[in-house]
Amino acid sequence: MKLTLFALVSALPVMAEGAAAEPATPAEQSPLSVENTVVPQPAPVAEPAPAPEPAPVAEPVAEPAPAPEPAPVAEPVAEPAPAPEPAPVAEPVAEPAPAPEPAPVTEPVAEPAPQEVPAVEPPVVEQPAPVVDMAAAYRGIVKVEVVNRKPDYESPWQGGNFGRGTGTGFLVAPGLFMTNAHVVANAEKVDISLFADARRIPAKVKFVAHDADLALLEIEDVAAFEGVPCLEFSEEMPLLEDTVRAIGYPIGGNRLSVTRGIVSRIDTIPYAHPRNIAHLALQVDAAINPGNSGGPVLKGNKVIGVAFQGLLKANSTGYVIPMPVIRHFMQDVADGRYDGYVEMGAQFMAMENKAMRRHYGLPDNGLGCLVADVVKGASCDGALRIGDVVLAVNGLPVDATAMIELEGVRVRLEELAERSFAGDKVQFTILRGGEVQQTEATLAPLPSIRVLSHRYDEQPRYVVFGGLVFQPLDFNVVQEHQVPSGDVVVELDRFTRGGESAVKEDLVLLTRTLPDEVNARFDDMGRGLVTKVNGVEVKGLAHLHSLLYPAEGTARPEYTVIELSDAARPLVIDNAAVDAANERIAERYNIQVPARLK
């Protein structure tokens, strides 16, 4: 998983729900569930829909007609069964030859014939014969309807606003449906609707991977899908120009939609959900629109990916989560919980410049990339150093652009970590100080990742003291409060790359000042990261709370002195007046509790 370390601190536009795409690729990609109220949209389209709509449904249902092709193939394959006929031909040849010598010649000729027949008779071609009945399988492709609650990061003590959204899901095991994480993010209620069925069946989120934009939904009413076959995942990556079709419930109608296109690119790109995290993705020119999110993308009758986002300001450009990401998710949750991705914690630089290669003693053979940075405390800290040249990873040659080949596709070498789990080891062949060496790294999650991406399915954490509102620095807070990069870039770099995340739980930001006489003239201080309280360095939000609200029986100092990273003077609160002020402020702003730490 490739991280965009400084994208967090860029000033980001506040997007409407579901348009979370713009910060993702440099502002180009967007998740495709309809996260605003989408219920009105189908209404105008519903009247013209009856006539044209069945056509798209009928075409995919008819497409399985090629599925019987394996049967015709099996018939010619079965025809070699008459192969024994040449054996009788061989016998007459043996009869006119009275000499015993030709007999040994004919016998070996006859022996291979029966050997070939059994080799062909259990053909692999017959295995696809029980091909999934796609007309029935389409009943397992469902519309996912969600009532969600978007947290309020401006006033974190409030409950947030409710909204509605839709997406697509598909049956992968009895009672289990796969969809996108962004379809069910912050969900309060989830229902699924069957193809050509008016019922809404309650579902719950069983597993969710926001860092991979995948989720599994579970239903109790398994009988509703009795006899519906599960879609089968492909074991192989598709190739460029392979024909695929995307199936789902996009806006513009109420019925199932099928679009067709080709795989036009395979690349590592930032995922719009949760932002600033990159994985492998397939680019297709099949139409993928809001509402398609979570739907299957098929090559033949097998799933090769899950539709999840599109490219703004571009036509016929959709993106699909491929099988390596899906397999990682399914393997991760096999033990009953989702642990997430591990990281190498290193940055690699291309070495295509000839002078640069000569400087490091490399031949002009197109192999080898440079270690440009290593995150302190991360997996590769100690195994790699800045200035090392990586020649191979796990025995796979690394080219001058830091790429390797996996499953016939050229990918970034970090893709090895994408397909690994905590505790897995990576072997590096490096050039260090002119000598070829072997080194090993044990992969683990990167602690600072929580700061670099959006958070979901949780209420905001906060502490209010004397009208000062403190929140942990994360992407949600940066976006909501439009925090300028200059306010946090130095501290953020120390936290994410300098190893502070190993000793600090959070970076704590002063986000608001609720006016009261106890904090008079503080509103001109703006925002800033909290460094110390009464001379004690702050390690996180929970630590800050313990310093501002000491345990019962602990004497308070006369004043609470709060130091900010970018302020010339500290904030000083009179502790004799702060309790009364907290009560006034709580009543005025409807603050039920002064802190939420989890």
Side-chain angles (χ1 to χ4, degrees), residues 12 36 46 56 70 110 137 227 273-274 326 348 357 375 426 483 502 515 522 554 557 598:
L12 303 175
N36 285 324
H273 178 101
I326 296 171
F348 303 95
R357 297 184 67 83
V375 177
V426 177
V483 180
F522 284 176
T554 303
K598 295 182 180 180

Side-chain angles (χ1 to χ4, degrees), residues 344 348 351 357 360 362 365 367-371 380 383-385 387-400 402-404 413 416 425-441:
M344 288 188 180
F348 303 95
M351 295 187 69
R357 297 184 67 83
Y360 283 92
L362 287 176
N365 60 0
L367 297 177
C369 70
L370 186 69
V371 177
C380 285
L384 297 179
R385 302 175 188 170
D388 286 347
V389 176
V390 180
L391 303 175
V393 182
N394 285 358
L396 301 172
V398 178
D399 71 15
M403 306 280 277
I404 59 175
L413 71 85
L416 282 175
K425 298 184 184 299
V426 177
Q427 307 287 336
F428 293 93
T429 302
I430 62 172
L431 182 66
R432 178 184 294 170
E435 296 182 0
V436 176
Q437 303 180 22
Q438 301 293 326
T439 185
E440 181 180 86

